[in-house]
Amino acid sequence: MTVAATNGSASTSDPLALARQAAVPNRLKECVTSGRLAHSFSIKLVKTVEIVHYAAAAGYDAVLIDLEHSSFGLETTNQLSCAALQVGVTPIVRVPANTSDWISRALDGGAAAVIVPHVNSVAEAENVVRYAKFAPLGERSATSGMPILRYNSVPAKYANPVANDATVVICMIETERALEIADDIAAVEGVDIILIGSSDLTADMGIPGDFDNARLADAYARVSSACEKASKKHGRPVTMGIGGLNGRPDLIEKFASLHYNGRYAMSGADNGMMLSAMKAGAAKCKVMSDKLQAGN
């Protein structure tokens, strides 16, 4: 087996250890399994790899490349994902559909985590795992030279289980019908994070954007309980994710404080931050112009 030199060492007589050594560390997974709240920065507008470097320099744990709410294609997505692997932040891709051609190709291109929106049934959650994981957990098609393994040539016997372990599967709950079966969705083997889409969930509840409503707080409590039950069942952490609250860091902190397993949050986006900074700058410009005009 050919594995290029990486940090650390492993005996050449242990090919599985060599494969693990080749894998890029998944910072998102490391955070949530250690009980630390992980934060991602969503990318919807900026297509060049510099945005990933800015996110890393700012201190984010992950970048979320959002194909559900952008015009990005897989070529852009894969370049951003590979850039993220290089700078030590976890590339997460939110795909626009629960299909193998989106999920497996995003992972083949460098994603270390995949988010699937609008998961409303156990069967749909099982499909996510099927497309994201190699056998025996799933049916992801075999490939070679994976970015997550630093392009090393690793036999599938060792590459596939290591890639499975390094890949985080995230299912979104965004409707009341999904909320009703949160226990069952969280219990699907291979699901790592149940992410609440607060915007779509409140819309489905008939209270769009009312993030302070007690019904949303109850939804977080219900999903947290479902994740706790699933964790005990599988003997590994199943984490609750906090989504759709980029503009309400107070609520992100509140839900993470209330629920010990709420350890992933979508915590900013390029479009929102750009607009906020531009508005602040334009407001200062207006004050300057008004002063000058008043002095004339």
Side-chain angles (χ1 to χ4, degrees):
M1 176 171 61
T2 302
V3 178
T6 56
N7 293 332
S9 61
S11 170
T12 55
S13 63
D14 187 349
L16 183 58
L18 279 172
R20 287 175 177 151
Q21 179 181 309
V24 177
N26 190 315
R27 186 165 160 183
L28 168 65
K29 185 174 182 178
E30 290 173 354
C31 283
V32 300
T33 55
S34 68
R36 179 179 175 83
L37 178 61
H39 299 272
S40 68
F41 175 79
S42 296
I43 303 174
K44 302 180 180 183
L45 291 178
V46 183
K47 295 184 176 183
T48 57
V49 297
E50 287 84 358
I51 190 66
V52 173
H53 289 263
Y54 273 90
Y60 282 94
D61 302 296
V63 290
L64 193 169
I65 304 156
D66 195 347
L67 299 186
E68 185 189 17
H69 297 296
S70 77
S71 60
F72 291 178
L74 280 174
E75 184 174 354
T76 296
T77 299
N78 295 349
Q79 292 300 304
L80 293 171
S81 294
C82 290
L85 292 175
Q86 291 298 311
V87 297
V89 296
T90 300
I92 306 169
V93 175
R94 176 156 61 178
V95 296
N98 187 359
T99 58
S100 62
D101 55 327
W102 282 111
I103 295 171
S104 63
R105 288 198 295 162
L107 293 169
D108 287 352
V114 62
I115 295 176
V116 177
H118 305 292
V119 174
N120 289 311
S121 69
V122 169
E124 290 176 2
E126 290 173 341
N127 278 342
V128 180
V129 177
R130 182 174 297 115
Y131 303 144
K133 299 285 190 176
F134 295 109
L137 279 176
E139 299 174 1
R140 180 180 168 190
S141 182
T143 187
S144 60
M146 287 183 277
I148 202 170
L149 296 181
R150 308 178 205 259
Y151 305 99
N152 281 289
S153 177
V154 181
K157 179 179 181 180
Y158 309 108
N160 290 359
V162 170
N164 277 353
D165 187 59
T167 299
V168 176
V169 171
I170 306 171
C171 293
M172 292 194 73
I173 283 185
E174 303 182 88
T175 63
E176 288 192 282
R177 65 183 182 276
L179 189 62
E180 290 173 359
I181 57 169
D183 285 0
D184 299 325
I185 292 174
V188 171
E189 179 67 26
V191 171
D192 299 295
I193 298 176
I194 301 296
L195 175 62
I196 297 176
S198 301
S199 294
D200 281 347
L201 181 56
T202 54
D204 191 66
M205 289 176 167
I207 51 170
D210 186 2
F211 301 131
D212 294 296
N213 195 293
R215 291 174 65 192
L216 182 62
D218 290 343
Y220 273 91
R222 184 164 189 170
V223 171
S224 174
S225 174
C227 290
E228 182 175 23
K229 293 174 186 175
S231 298
K232 291 178 180 178
K233 174 182 177 180
H234 297 306
R236 62 175 182 82
V238 177
T239 301
M240 180 180 74
I242 303 165
L245 297 175
N246 289 339
R248 294 294 305 272
D250 59 316
L251 288 181
I252 292 175
E253 183 175 2
K254 172 186 173 181
F255 292 135
S257 297
L258 286 173
H259 308 293
Y260 74 95
N261 54 7
R263 288 299 177 263
Y264 165 59
M266 298 167 59
S267 300
D270 56 358
N271 59 339
M273 288 189 176
M274 187 182 300
L275 180 59
S276 178
M278 291 174 73
K279 281 185 173 180
K284 292 178 181 178
C285 292
K286 184 178 184 301
V287 171
M288 184 191 309
S289 297
D290 291 346
K291 284 182 179 179
L292 291 170
Q293 186 176 24
N296 290 337

